[in-house]
Amino acid sequence: MVSLQPLDETALPALLARFYAKVRLDDALGPLFNQVIQDWDNHLERISDFWSSVMLASGRYKGNPVVIHLMHAHRISPEMFDLWLALWEETTSEMLQASVAAAMQAKARRIAETLKGALRLRGAPPTNPAREPSSSIALPG
């Protein structure tokens, strides 16, 4: 059993490693993440920077998550965000104090809504009135 802890720079790497281990094993999320992310150590460092900036105001993250997700818009369904959030809520609840977990979960839900909105607006495949086969990659699950 992992002891529940407050959020700080030492808690983030363990939290994110455990969370993304679950993501990688998930039937729907795993194939996408495992194909897109070639260097998991680097990804975990960037994500740690992201959450440090979001939750601890460290300013370490220098990137644009919307642009990164738009690059894969054709492969991301709204349901995938729900799966991601469920694993996030499970992991944060397991590893962090309740109030910290709740704050991170609320922030993650807001981020997911922002990303879903961006994907809907800019990443949606063009309409296909002729009902011709789509060239989009089908998501598993």
Side-chain angles (χ1 to χ4, degrees):
M1 174 77 181
V2 176
S3 64
L4 300 179
Q5 54 186 314
L7 184 66
D8 59 23
E9 294 294 348
T10 61
L12 280 172
L15 171 71
L16 295 167
R18 187 169 184 172
F19 169 70
Y20 279 102
K22 293 177 184 184
V23 167
R24 293 176 78 179
L25 294 173
D26 184 82
D27 290 340
L29 299 174
L32 174 61
F33 277 84
N34 288 318
Q35 186 175 36
V36 169
I37 298 168
Q38 302 301 312
D39 181 348
W40 276 96
D41 290 337
N42 183 52
H43 179 71
L44 291 173
E45 282 182 38
R46 277 185 70 80
I47 294 299
S48 184
D49 289 347
F50 173 81
W51 282 104
S52 175
S53 293
V54 168
M55 297 303 294
L56 303 173
S58 70
R60 288 190 352 222
Y61 182 74
K62 307 293 185 221
N64 186 330
V66 172
V67 170
I68 292 168
H69 286 80
L70 285 175
M71 292 174 16
H72 306 286
H74 63 285
R75 300 180 64 199
I76 301 172
S77 70
E79 296 79 19
M80 293 176 105
F81 285 98
D82 296 336
L83 294 170
W84 188 96
L85 285 168
L87 291 175
W88 182 251
E89 290 180 9
E90 176 184 293
T91 308
T92 54
S93 293
E94 290 170 350
M95 297 188 68
L96 299 171
Q97 295 173 351
S99 61
V100 176
M104 290 192 82
Q105 293 162 8
K107 184 63 83 171
R109 285 189 295 275
R110 287 191 296 275
I111 292 166
E113 288 305 315
T114 298
L115 291 173
K116 282 196 284 190
L119 293 175
R120 262 193 314 272
L121 291 174
R122 301 187 18 127
T127 58
N128 192 353
R131 303 273 187 235
E132 296 172 9
S134 173
S135 61
S136 297
I137 298 172
L139 288 172

